[in-house]
Amino acid sequence: MKCGVVNRKSQILSLSFFARPILMGVTVAKNIVYFDLETQKSADEVGGWGNISKMGMSVGVTYSTASNEYRIYGESHVNQLITELQRADLVVGFNNLRFDYEVLHGYTAFDLTQVPTLDMLVVLSEKLGHRLSLDSIATATFEVEKTAEGLQAIRWFKEGKLVEIAEYCCYDVKITRLVHEYGQRQKQLHYFNRFNKKLTVPVSW
């Protein structure tokens, strides 16, 4: 399932991508917004992880269950992204409380942690006592891997390759959605630990 076609001549990524949601029996009665973003700078470039709000957003992507629509936002449309998150019944992400929201706090005085949020990394870390990567879950559960990583997205930004960032971020949002929906249906997730052993963790979201 493709997120859509990006107009490569456009320098502003504020496009809408339409796609059929893969719900597989899950009934969605409210507007769940799945969310991820990439940054312009690394932690080293802004003086460490205590300055996440200074990293700057390069591209943000959402998927809304109410509209069955992907949306891609460039930095010039960050306020529209924040508004969509504020209007959601639930925002679902992976490390969005500690990272993505902090990046957006560089653009707004509104405390995004007040938005109803499910940060799957926080839930899993509390259960397991250690952090998991989204890639370890996706690989064990769906046998798919991320197409790139955050530092690559930063390099793309410096090279002006916004389309590549958008495609990568869109894919991460799709994986986030699939992981959340799988957990809803199966009440568990699979992951690989640091010894490459496949394990299972129960979830109740």
Side-chain angles (χ1 to χ4, degrees), residues 37-82:
L37 62 73
E38 300 303 326
T39 64
Q40 301 175 15
K41 298 178 181 178
S42 67
D44 289 342
E45 291 177 293
V46 298
W49 290 104
N51 297 314
I52 294 174
S53 63
K54 297 180 181 180
M55 289 183 179
M57 186 187 81
S58 60
V59 172
V61 175
T62 61
Y63 174 85
S64 165
T65 59
S67 63
N68 297 343
E69 180 179 78
Y70 287 91
R71 290 193 177 95
I72 296 180
Y73 299 90
E75 185 181 30
S76 62
H77 289 76
V78 68
N79 289 332
Q80 288 93 318
L81 167 59
I82 292 170

Side-chain angles (χ1 to χ4, degrees), residues 6 9 11 14 21-23 43 63 74 76 104-105 109-110 127 135 140 144 152 178 184 201:
V6 178
K9 295 182 180 180
Q11 296 301 310
S14 59
I22 303 176
L23 298 180
Y63 174 85
S76 62
L104 293 181
H105 284 156
F110 178 79
K127 284 181 173 292
D135 195 36
V144 298
Q152 177 62 63
L178 291 175
Q184 281 185 317
V201 56

Side-chain angles (χ1 to χ4, degrees), residues 124 137 141 179 182-183 187-191 199-201 203 205:
L124 294 170
I137 299 169
T141 305
V179 167
Y182 185 92
K187 305 304 179 185
Q188 63 181 13
L189 291 174
H190 309 293
Y191 67 96
L199 300 173
T200 299
V201 56
V203 296
W205 52 62

Side-chain angles (χ1 to χ4, degrees), residues 157-193:
F157 177 77
K158 297 181 187 305
E159 296 168 359
K161 297 179 178 179
L162 297 183
V163 171
E164 284 81 356
I165 302 173
E167 291 173 345
Y168 162 57
C169 195
C170 184
Y171 184 79
D172 264 12
V173 171
K174 288 170 64 177
I175 293 298
T176 299
R177 177 166 63 92
L178 291 175
V179 167
H180 177 247
E181 291 174 353
Y182 185 92
Q184 281 185 317
R185 295 191 310 273
Q186 304 297 330
K187 305 304 179 185
Q188 63 181 13
L189 291 174
H190 309 293
Y191 67 96
F192 286 111
N193 67 8

